[in-house]
Structures are given as structure tokens and as C-alpha cells.
Amino acid sequence: MLDLLVRAGRLPDGKTPVDIGMKGGKIVEIAPRIEAGAARVIEAGGRLVAPPFADPHFHMDATLSLGLPRLNRSGTLLEGIALWGELKPLLTVEAVKARALRYCDLAVSQGLLSIRSHVDVCDDRLTAVEALLEVKREVAGYIDLQLVAFPQDGLFRDPTAEANLLRALDMGVDVVGGIPHFERTMQAGAESVRRLCEIAAERGLPVDLHCDESDDPMSRHIETLAAETVRLGLQGRVVGSHCTSMHSVDNYYASKLIPLIAEAGLHIVPNPLINITLQGRSDTYPRRRGLTRVPELRAAGVNVAFGQDCTMDPWYPLGSADMLEVAHMGVHAIPMTSREAMGWSFTSVTVNGHLAMGLPDPTLRVGGPATMVVLQARDPIEAVRMKATRIAVIRAGRVIAETAPRLARLDLPGRPAGIDPADYAPMAED
């Protein structure tokens, strides 16, 4: 007897529906038809069954704080940082924890089961660190939550940042973070990259730096991060997040930089929602789009994974824990509208996000974890286009969230009485 059976689901790489049998938290069989009984059966009806979503870049300490203590009127990164500086002294463990847990509830409903959150350590009380470590323990049964020790005000710019970062790591924070472009000088930024990578090497930890989140083409800390990764043998466990200055550098420099990133085995995490919103704010026209060079990085073999960054906080007034919305924005903003690229955008918020976080490949396979999402779509492109409803979210063989399919009733002469929006897309071929 199986614990759970999903009937007639389409895997991301296939068009023929299959049954997926689960027992003891594992996938035990994938076949065109499974005859075994099951304690529960989900009829997928030819809909997409995919790995859960991953967000490799988020700020859970600030989430859902929109309007506290005021709104970001300019919509800029710098005003957001200043506003966060006003809010930090007002934070309490209870308030940070309550907002984070509410966000985790939303994330589960969207099939988002792996999140890497940066947590500000430029607060001598380490209030947010304490709160999010408690959240991590409480959600461990259903969300893989990683925490990054993030010196928001600069490792060297803030007098106690390094000491606080080390304290946070001692408390159990998972990843070394930083923000080199926010140091006082380019030289100080490069020195901060070296110091942070050395801390990670000494402690055997991953590195995830906000790198060159700027419109300045001379902000080039990603090359230092690549060099330090190679020098210290950190290949495969280092992430460069944002990297938006690459949208402003000339092509010659990009042709030198991208092979260095590939050589170092860096993961790159653009954040389409926030990058398209915050970047180019000083431009009139033409206005830069603000995203890094995703197609060129992909062509060089770099693992690129889209992140969400913010939801209703000092930097971004929107957001809904929906990684399909993130992929949808990436398709438009980069732009990348070939079928291959649109399909890749789905992979970027599932498989690639897990790899950037150092987690196992979540591709559904016999013997792998019985953790998946049933989506109201027939293929990954349709899921991105429609930002598909999550019909069922499954963790370790247990349904932990369900949403009714989105259906519309019509009252039109001679037309159908109702429609499923997912039925209105051709199964096009390349």
C-alpha cells in the first residue's frame, strides 16, 4: 500500500503522463500506470508535476514590514537601506519572528520549500539573527531555510560588523555574506571580499555576496570574488547575487569577466523583480533594465538561478512568494522568449535554485524525496506564462498545501459554460 499516488502527471521533461507512487517519504515508482493501492490518490489529469520551488536570495528579517516606520518614497536602493536603518532599532524578536512565520505560510502555499535568507548583522543586539534562527528550527519540517550573515552597512564601514558576523556564525548561521559595493571605497570593497572569503574558508562555509548591485560599470567586485574563490579553493560553494553592474559594462570587459566567473564555478543569482525596479533610477531615457547578463552567463556554463529578494518591505512594495512570477518577470526583462529560454526560466526557480543553495538536485526520480508540486499547467512554459495555481504541494510524501484549480464560469450565448485557462495554449514545438 502506497502512502500517496499522483495519477497522470506530466514531468517537466516529458509529455506523456505518468503515475508517481510514494511511500516512507520517498518516490518508489514512476510508471505509465501504477496498479498499487494508496492511502490517498491525487488525480493530476495531465497537469505538470515538478520539483518544489527554491528562492536562493531573500531578506526574511525585513519581509512584510512595508510602511514601517515609513514608505520608500523614491523607490531607490539607497532610501531602502536608510529606511531599514530607521527600522532596525525598533525590531523585536517577536515581531521579526511573527512576520517571518507568516511569510513561510505563504511560501508553502506557493510550493516554495527552500529559501536562503540574508539576515542583517549590523545590529549589536543581533535581534533578527535570534528571531530567524528560531524560525529556522520551527519550519525545518517543511522548509529548508538557510541563513546568511549579512553586514548590510558594510563589513568595514560598520565598526562592529565583522565581530557581529562572527558571532552570528557562532550562533548557527549557515553562510558568509557581504556587500562590497557599499563600502566607502572600491579598494575597501575588494578587501572585504577577501576577508569574507577567508572567514568562509577557515570555517568551511559557503559564501553569498551582494555583488555589484549598482548601475556603476566600474563596480567590479565580482571579478575579485571569482579570484578569491579560486585562490581559496571555494569553487562550487560561492554565490554572486544581483551583479547588476554587468548590465552597464562594455562587451570587451564582459568577455573577460564571464570566463573568470565560469572558471571559479560561481553561481549567479539575479533578482528580476527587484533589479528591474531599483536599477536605472538615475536614468532618464534610454533607461537600463537592470538585470545581469543572463544569456551570456548561461552560454558559458554558469549556474544562474533567479531569486525573489524582497516581499513588501523597505525596498519592494509588492511580491507574493511566487517564484513563477519571478521567472515571468525574467522572461520579459532580459528578454528571453525562445521556447528553450522560457523553459529554462522554470528550471532556474526549481533545479538551479537548489544547486545555488548547495542542496541536492530536486529532479523527481525513483529513490528521491517525495517532494513536489502539482501545477495547473501542462508544461513548464505554460506554468511560467500563467503563473500556474499550485493544486497540491507535497513534502516527504505528505500533502501540506492545496489550492482549488482556477476555473472560470461563462454565461455567453453559444460559448462553453466554463474554461480552464491552462487549456488555452498550444503544445508548440521548437
Side-chain angles (χ1 to χ4, degrees), residues 77 179-183 185-187 189-190 193 210-225 241-250 253 257 261 279 288 292:
L77 172 65
I179 185 168
H181 54 276
F182 200 62
E183 301 291 352
T185 66
M186 292 294 290
Q187 181 180 353
V193 173
H210 286 60
C211 223
D212 305 321
E213 188 183 3
S214 168
D215 294 331
D216 180 4
M218 299 309 294
S219 184
R220 298 180 173 186
H221 297 298
I222 189 66
E223 69 175 15
T224 305
L225 182 59
S241 293
H242 294 291
C243 301
T244 58
S245 68
M246 287 175 65
H247 72 186
S248 298
V249 303
D250 61 74
Y253 177 66
L257 176 61
I261 291 171
Q279 306 314 130
R288 286 167 287 183
T292 195

Side-chain angles (χ1 to χ4, degrees), residues 69-82:
R70 59 183 178 84
L71 292 170
N72 184 338
R73 299 296 182 185
S74 70
T76 62
L77 172 65
L78 292 180
E79 185 177 353
I81 292 174

Side-chain angles (χ1 to χ4, degrees), residues 356-370:
M357 293 175 63
L359 297 172
D361 185 334
T363 300
L364 303 182
R365 58 188 177 275
V366 173

Side-chain angles (χ1 to χ4, degrees), residues 217-292:
M218 299 309 294
S219 184
R220 298 180 173 186
H221 297 298
I222 189 66
E223 69 175 15
T224 305
L225 182 59
E228 290 301 303
T229 296
V230 173
R231 180 176 74 89
L232 296 166
L234 299 173
Q235 291 95 328
R237 58 191 232 225
V238 178
V239 172
S241 293
H242 294 291
C243 301
T244 58
S245 68
M246 287 175 65
H247 72 186
S248 298
V249 303
D250 61 74
N251 289 335
Y252 175 79
Y253 177 66
S255 72
K256 168 199 170 186
L257 176 61
I258 291 172
L260 293 178
I261 291 171
E263 175 193 17
L266 297 186
H267 305 273
I268 300 296
V269 177
N271 298 281
L273 299 178
I274 199 73
N275 291 156
I276 198 69
T277 303
L278 292 181
Q279 306 314 130
R281 286 280 181 165
S282 62
D283 296 348
T284 52
Y285 292 95
R287 175 169 286 173
R288 286 167 287 183
R289 293 185 173 189
L291 280 164
T292 195

Side-chain angles (χ1 to χ4, degrees), residues 9 18 103 236 258 260-261 275 278 291 306 327 331 345 355 408 420:
V18 295
Y103 181 81
I258 291 172
L260 293 178
I261 291 171
N275 291 156
L278 292 181
L291 280 164
F306 286 153
V331 165
S345 75
L355 299 181
D420 178 343

